[in-house]
Amino acid sequence: MRKTETKKRFIEEINLSDNKNLLEVTNNFLNCDSKKDFYKLTQDQKTAIAEARQQLRDGHYFTIEQVNNAAEEWLKSK
């Protein structure tokens, strides 16, 4: 599909839609500015992200190999 055809189809779908959530998300996406926050996070979510980042800095994480080994051991035990 060519770019102009894609644009026309997109506009047609928007015009036909009664889905308020879809229209809001589409509008937010189209108005997204790299300097704006795209996601609206709660304070709890921001706190959880900050804690996770600190855990990574402190080396409190599992490598892929460790996770795979643990999964294999768990599967063997079943």
Side-chain angles (χ1 to χ4, degrees):
M1 198 181 297
R2 286 197 231 143
K3 183 168 68 171
T4 54
E5 292 169 348
T6 303
K7 285 180 179 182
K8 283 182 182 179
R9 183 150 194 280
F10 186 69
I11 291 167
E12 288 172 6
E13 291 296 326
I14 289 172
N15 286 332
L16 292 173
S17 179
D18 289 328
N19 184 330
K20 183 180 177 189
N21 188 40
L22 173 66
L23 295 172
E24 287 176 357
V25 169
T26 303
N27 186 52
N28 289 341
F29 177 75
L30 293 173
N31 292 323
C32 182
D33 182 328
S34 62
K35 295 180 182 176
K36 289 182 183 177
D37 289 335
F38 187 73
Y39 296 102
K40 304 248 186 257
L41 301 175
T42 66
Q43 188 56 47
D44 286 343
Q45 291 169 320
K46 291 176 184 178
T47 301
I49 291 169
E51 288 174 8
R53 287 181 173 157
Q54 186 61 48
Q55 289 172 342
L56 286 171
R57 282 191 290 275
D58 294 342
H60 299 162
Y61 58 87
F62 295 102
T63 65
I64 291 173
E65 185 178 324
Q66 289 170 316
V67 171
N68 287 338
N69 289 340
E72 285 178 26
E73 289 298 318
W74 180 81
L75 288 171
K76 287 178 187 175
S77 70
K78 296 296 170 186

